[in-house]
Every structure is written in C-alpha cells, then in structure tokens.
Amino acid sequence: MSALSLFPALRVLRGRQNATFSAGVKVVNLFATVRDKQGQVIRDLTKDDFALQEDRRPQIIRYFSRESDLPLTLGLLVDVSGSQRRLIPDERSASFQFFDQVLREDLDRAFVIQFQGQVELLHDLTSSRDDLQRALRLLDSPDPRQGYGGQRGQYPGGGRGRVGMRGGTALYDAVLLASDELMKKQDGRKALVILTDGVDTASMVTLEEGVEAAQRADTLVYSVLFEDPEAYGGGFGGFGGVDGRGVLDDISHQTGGRLLSVSRKRTLEQVFESIQEELRSMYSLGYTPDRTGANSAYHKIRLTTKEKGLVVQTRDGYYAS
C-alpha cells in the first residue's frame, strides 16, 4: 500500500503562480455529454449542432467524433474515514462491478486510492481486473504494512512521504494527488470517481487547489455523494455544518463531471450505471483557439447546442499552460 507524497505536488502547484510560458495551447480538447429536458443522453448530434466560445469569442470546432474510442484512464477515490466505514462493503462490491463493466480489456486502465487523514494508493494503473479486485479488498485495511505493488511510502513520482495523519478526511489532497501524480501523465479520456460524503477535515490544500489540479490534468471528476445517516449524530448535514453536497458539486461542475447521489430511491449500482453510460456516450471535440495566450491564464469555455432545451455537460475552461 503506497502513501502518496503531498509535498512535491505542493511545490509544483505553488511554483506555477509565477511561471511564464513561451507558447500557448495549440489544440484544446473537450469531452461533452448532452441531455434532453428529461435527462436522457443524446447520442446522435453532429459537429454542426454545437456552438463553441472561448472567453466569449466564437471558435471553430475542427475535430469531432461520437463515442470516442480513445483509451480511458479511470481513478477510483474512496473515502474510508470514520463517517464512511459502514458503507465500505457496499462500495467494494459495487466498485468491482463498475470496473468489470466499464473497462475494455487491454485498452483502458484504472487505479484505486483510499483516503482518510492520509492518501494511500492501493494499486497503480492497471488493466487487470484481478489486480483491481485485490486492491478493493484492501479498502480500510487495518494494517498499513500490507503493501500492494511496491514498498510502503513510495508514490508514482518517485518520492517518499506521508500525507497528513490517519484521523480526519483529506478529500482535497486526494483529488490533487490523483490529478498531479497520476492523471496528468496520461493521454485520452480521464475521469476520477470519488465516493464520499464531501466533508473535508484534514487536507493540506484548499478546495480551489484540488479543482485546479484536476483542470490542469484535463480530468473529469464524478462525485458520488454517499452518506451514512448515523455518522454525524443521526442526521445528514456533514461535520460542523459543512455542506458536502455543495463541495462535490463545485468539484464536478468545474471539471466537466457530474454529482450523483445515493439514496433510498437510487442505489450505488444505479449511480455507477449512469456514470458508465456517460463515459460511453461522450462527444469528443477539439479546436485551436483564435488567440493563444503567453501565460497560464484560465480561459472560459462555453459549449452549447443550437437546438434549445438540450443541456451540455463539459468542463468550463482550461489553463493555457
């Protein structure tokens, strides 16, 4: 079981604030899902059905495809803090079923991270369903010395270290580390799926820094709000009044993903089925900005359909660097 190191990622993130770049982005790629008023996914649109703007300036869509065959990199981030412990058996079984259905053999890869006060990589990127199943069995393992695929304390970037203490919940750290240390290095479609109640009590970085890391890694974030009604004194609402739903909605909306909730009317298996449907029904679009900045400014994107009443889900911008 590997503990991801937060400190190199923090240095990289903070170093960007004063960075300058000699060249702008040549091609911006988007993955989008379109729904009608009833929430049904629309799969038969063409390039001419879309309108695209960057910083309120119209852009020409030069690349377009439906149901992209690009490889999928999927990261599962599971909250195993005290408020989630009773939900772990359900999360384990539903997650393996999700991997089994969404991953295409020898094309797609996935990794598994668990987080509480620290962020632990249970398995690095793999296309092996057996490896992923073994990693899921380690969720909330009581003995952190039960390593999985490497020495304890190592992380993919080659450094060593521990993130936080074992108490609390480091949600934002988990998003940043998964984005910076794993997703940023991958090509094609990339998505994080987070199972949590959205309450963060232990991160060393802010929500904004976690979101920025995912945006820079061109990674969609699907947040699955899964709450134990007995975790905080017998009622929902999070720890100390923290709005977990609002936090997860921010993360997902800004990265082009979606927030889905588990409830009495919607099981975790049904939520995973919705995510699976989206991942298989995305439009892939690409454009060359009419103006390329020479800095790391954030550029706003607005993608719409010419037909009224349709809702487009995609990221709301990108960093020029």
Side-chain angles (χ1 to χ4, degrees):
M1 184 181 302
S2 300
L4 298 177
S5 173
L6 179 63
F7 304 105
L10 270 177
R11 286 197 293 269
V12 171
L13 189 63
R14 290 172 178 163
R16 290 179 180 135
Q17 295 176 356
N18 298 318
T20 59
F21 301 88
S22 59
V25 173
K26 292 182 180 180
V27 175
V28 178
N29 295 304
L30 300 175
F31 293 100
T33 303
V34 181
R35 285 186 168 78
D36 61 18
K37 292 180 179 179
Q38 288 72 43
Q40 298 300 311
V41 174
I42 305 299
R43 298 180 172 88
D44 58 355
L45 299 180
T46 68
K47 179 176 69 173
D48 295 334
D49 291 318
F50 289 90
L52 176 65
Q53 292 183 349
E54 177 181 306
D55 298 332
R56 299 184 178 182
R57 301 188 311 275
Q59 305 293 319
I60 299 174
I61 299 173
R62 300 187 181 277
Y63 312 98
F64 180 87
S65 65
R66 290 193 296 262
E67 300 184 20
S68 174
D69 288 331
L70 289 174
L72 171 66
T73 303
L74 188 65
L76 180 68
L77 279 56
V78 183
D79 182 349
V80 295
S81 61
S83 64
Q84 298 294 102
R85 292 285 169 84
R86 299 199 309 172
L87 306 177
I88 290 174
D90 291 339
E91 293 174 335
R92 182 182 291 115
S93 59
S95 296
F96 179 71
Q97 181 179 349
F98 175 60
F99 281 144
D100 192 49
Q101 292 176 348
V102 77
L103 297 178
R104 296 165 297 177
E105 190 173 358
D106 299 326
L107 182 62
D108 303 326
R109 296 188 298 165
F111 61 88
V112 179
I113 282 176
Q114 72 173 16
F115 63 94
Q116 45 186 314
Q118 67 180 13
V119 182
E120 296 173 297
L121 179 66
L122 298 185
H123 203 290
D124 204 344
L125 283 166
T126 180
S127 59
S128 168
R129 288 175 172 80
D130 288 341
D131 287 348
L132 292 169
Q133 187 173 33
R134 283 192 288 269
L136 290 171
R137 292 195 190 107
L138 289 174
L139 286 174
D140 194 30
S141 172
D143 184 1
R145 292 172 298 178
Q146 293 177 359
Y148 194 87
Q151 297 179 353
R152 185 183 175 206
Q154 291 186 345
Y155 72 102
R160 301 178 64 82
R162 182 180 65 180
V163 182
M165 304 300 291
R166 291 198 67 84
T169 310
L171 167 61
Y172 311 152
D173 288 352
V175 173
L176 183 144
L177 288 162
S179 301
D180 262 13
E181 303 295 340
L182 292 158
M183 286 300 195
K184 191 176 180 181
K185 304 169 186 177
Q186 311 307 316
D187 297 319
R189 295 178 300 151
K190 296 177 280 187
L192 296 178
V193 177
I194 310 174
L195 295 174
T196 180
D197 58 13
V199 177
D200 187 301
T201 62
S203 283
M204 299 174 64
V205 301
T206 65
L207 170 61
E208 291 75 17
E209 289 173 317
V211 169
E212 179 180 338
Q215 289 172 328
R216 288 183 179 274
D218 295 334
T219 299
L220 306 170
V221 179
Y222 287 89
S223 300
V224 179
L225 181 63
F226 196 11
E227 298 175 297
D228 180 353
E230 303 300 322
Y232 298 104
F236 293 107
F239 176 81
V242 175
D243 179 14
R245 176 180 292 275
V247 166
L248 296 178
D249 190 50
D250 282 346
I251 295 173
S252 296
H253 176 74
Q254 294 185 59
T255 59
R258 191 156 70 105
L259 167 63
L260 302 98
S261 300
V262 177
S263 66
R264 292 178 181 176
K265 295 182 179 180
R266 195 178 200 185
T267 66
L268 180 57
E269 287 81 4
Q270 290 171 323
V271 166
F272 275 147
E273 286 175 7
S274 295
I275 296 174
Q276 177 185 339
E277 180 185 27
E278 285 197 14
L279 292 173
R280 289 180 172 175
S281 309
M282 288 182 173
Y283 297 94
S284 177
L285 305 92
Y287 72 98
T288 301
D290 62 338
R291 294 192 310 196
T292 55
N295 53 47
S296 58
Y298 187 74
H299 298 282
K300 295 286 290 183
I301 293 172
R302 185 167 186 263
L303 181 66
T304 58
T305 58
K306 296 174 183 177
E307 179 182 344
K308 294 183 178 180
L310 300 183
V311 178
V312 179
Q313 173 188 314
T314 191
R315 57 176 169 155
D316 63 3
Y318 72 96
Y319 286 90
S321 58

